[in-house]
Amino acid sequence: MSSSTSTTTRTEQEAGNDALVREFVDAFEKKDAALLGSYLADDIVFENYGDPEIRGRAGLVAMWAGVFRNFAGVRFETLHQAVDGDVVIAEQVHGLALAGGTLAPIRNLAVYEIRDGKIAAWRDYTNPLEAKRLLGL
């Protein structure tokens, strides 16, 4: 009787996609929307569960600039991340704090599609009612 073992080898492309998304998530703490834009494809499509879709880098950068103005603290953390080719799935905690408040630990699942070293599609799945509760809204 013989047994076979399956070995999964991560490609250079997958390693690069993993690193790209980790750098992108770490960049949120700087609260610099233009910096975030450098990770995004010109024609990115962003979907945040329950909100209207945003198409294009300029619109998404403007949206994050508004978020950064509204929150005194921003710190995103990746708990687990999986990569399959050009798709990266990340379990995250989005720490957001209003002025005078503490960071609210908002759980999120993010799906990123990478094209030519840039994020071309990004979908966030967060429970909006739980996020509001954690923020005290």
Side-chain angles (χ1 to χ4, degrees), residues 113-125:
E113 294 178 30
I114 313 301
R115 184 181 67 235
D116 300 326
K118 300 283 186 180
I119 299 168
W122 171 15
R123 293 177 296 281
D124 267 353
Y125 300 95

Side-chain angles (χ1 to χ4, degrees), residues 98-119:
L98 296 168
T102 59
L103 283 176
I106 300 165
R107 290 193 168 264
N108 183 67
L109 180 72
V111 179
Y112 304 93
E113 294 178 30
I114 313 301
R115 184 181 67 235
D116 300 326
K118 300 283 186 180
I119 299 168

Side-chain angles (χ1 to χ4, degrees), residues 24-100:
F24 176 67
V25 171
D26 288 345
F28 277 84
E29 198 164 349
K30 295 183 171 107
K31 294 178 63 174
D32 181 346
L35 174 62
L36 294 182
S38 69
Y39 292 90
L40 308 175
D42 288 337
D43 61 346
I44 186 169
V45 177
F46 174 71
E47 296 177 67
N48 188 33
Y49 180 73
D51 291 336
E53 185 177 271
I54 297 173
R55 291 184 167 270
R57 179 190 297 143
L60 191 51
V61 166
M63 188 273 296
W64 280 107
V67 169
F68 294 150
R69 281 191 303 274
N70 291 324
F71 288 94
V74 177
R75 183 175 175 272
F76 288 9
E77 176 186 3
T78 299
L79 303 177
H80 300 98
Q81 188 160 292
V83 183
D84 184 16
D86 287 329
V87 177
V88 179
I89 300 172
E91 178 187 10
Q92 301 167 335
V93 175
H94 291 180
L96 298 171
L98 296 168

